[in-house]
Amino acid sequence: MKAKITLAREFKIGDIDKRIYGSFIEHLGRAVYGGIYEPEHETADEDGFRTDVIELVRQLNVPIVRYPGGNFVSGYNWEDGVGPVENRPKRLDLAWKTTEPNAFGTNEFMKWCKKADTECMMAVNLGTRSADDARRLVEYTNHKSGTALADLRKSHGYSDPWNIKLWCLGNEMDGRWQMGAKSAKEYGRIALEASKMMKWTDDTIETVLCGSSSRNSPTFGEWEAQSLDIAYESVDYVSLHQYYGNHDGDTESFLAQTLELEEFIHTVICICDYIKAKKRSKKTMNLSFDEWNVWYHSNDDPYERWSVAPPRLEDIYNFEDALVVGSMLITLLRHCDRIKIACLAQLVNVIAPIFTQTGGGIFKQTIFYPFEHTSNYGRGVALNPIINCPKHDTKRFTDVPYLEAIATFDEENESMTVFCVNKSLDENAVLDISLMDFEGYVPVEHISMDGYDKNDTNGIGNPYVKPHINEIPQIDDGVVTANLKPFSWNVIRLKKM
């Protein structure tokens, strides 16, 4: 199979906001307890944080982490998680039917963020609590001193404010499973008031309005339109959530689901622009894709009800999952002009790229690597590649390109990267990359993941599925020629010489 990509500087889609490589930690399963926080572990530091986890988070180069939920946040009282640990109450978490000990809370998470070289995307409870409760949390975390809540933080041992800049206004508030679920108009009103009061408390913050809980939600479309119609001028982003799975074993359709993702993103952009036009606003609403991943291996895992941090949603990812995650990352980058924030859900143990044993080891899941590659090499601006390649039909989709690709260009560091997935199950692709106006740029590395069975996985002491380095592609008269193995993830890096 032959394929061609044409690239030029003027094909710029937009600047890549580093926050597009964000992730997510929820008080769910072993994400916190036994994940990022395990005081009895041999790698734990003085704060109880697993340093082996922190090391891998740094490798992923995650700039922002959403916290503390998720469904959990809609019943969470933030006051339960601050102050002396011995005085904190244990609570029933109705979202996940477990017991929350509150040994880990806001200040512990902020300390962890600093050690992991990341920042916090804080979510507030707009399910069972009020706009004023959200405002109070902003005052507690961000106000310097001289008020009851700022001084309360100082009395807890944190003299300097945390200065959290990005805030989620609840979570999936259209979902019947959500504590305090609301209609679009009810949610729009409380989101407007919460965002307004939070920004009055700290005018440097940004806020994210909850969109529909998924593209398949019965509220999708009308929810975004009605809630944005109320809160448009007060908020900065609208959220999207989407997970994909391969329940029926149809690999070709599984890989093709980015066509559906593309349509989802385009639809939300259209709704945002409709409300902008309706309001005659000068403000363009950007997107926060703050939950996305492959998720289907672990939905029905049994656990002990009302226990503390039972294993939950612990997907063990296989090789085909990694190709889908890579394809989803490419799709997000293709819309970086409007998608400014995205969070791979989640970061550790719970549908996550990093997996730990409580009291034991750690390993990188298959999906770790596409995320690591894009986060570290996909900076600067995204370029729209003109792709010429064969197409095919699957059981669910028609006219599916065999090649999914995006290019990024970092002018400051004089580097380019082409990310591509060969979706053919059995055919090599000879790819020509035509560099129209990148004089002096030459290929320096070709990283790929290929040659694995679609069901191959990793485990403790068994990092089987991982990238390898290929022969550097040739370049002739501005055309780079690379060989893409069947069913493969590819990273082709170029530098100016």
Side-chain angles (χ1 to χ4, degrees), residues 354-374:
I354 299 169
F355 196 94
T356 73
Q357 283 182 333
T358 300
I362 190 170
F363 69 91
K364 301 174 182 178
Q365 295 241 47
T366 62
I367 66 171
F368 182 98
Y369 299 105
F371 191 94
E372 178 188 31
H373 294 152
T374 50

Side-chain angles (χ1 to χ4, degrees), residues 221-240:
E222 191 63 31
W223 171 277
E224 282 80 0
Q226 288 188 9
S227 59
L228 277 172
D229 196 32
I230 295 168
Y232 191 90
E233 294 299 345
S234 185
V235 301
D236 303 284
Y237 307 92
V238 62
S239 75
L240 298 81

Side-chain angles (χ1 to χ4, degrees), residues 203-259:
D203 62 6
T204 69
I205 69 170
E206 294 182 306
T207 57
V208 181
L209 182 92
C210 286
S212 300
S213 48
S214 83
R215 177 180 180 270
N216 301 320
S217 168
T219 69
F220 176 58
E222 191 63 31
W223 171 277
E224 282 80 0
Q226 288 188 9
S227 59
L228 277 172
D229 196 32
I230 295 168
Y232 191 90
E233 294 299 345
S234 185
V235 301
D236 303 284
Y237 307 92
V238 62
S239 75
L240 298 81
H241 291 180
Q242 188 64 52
Y243 298 95
Y244 289 116
N246 188 14
H247 295 278
D248 58 4
D250 180 1
T251 294
E252 289 190 323
S253 293
F254 186 36
L255 290 173
Q257 285 183 110
T258 46
L259 292 178

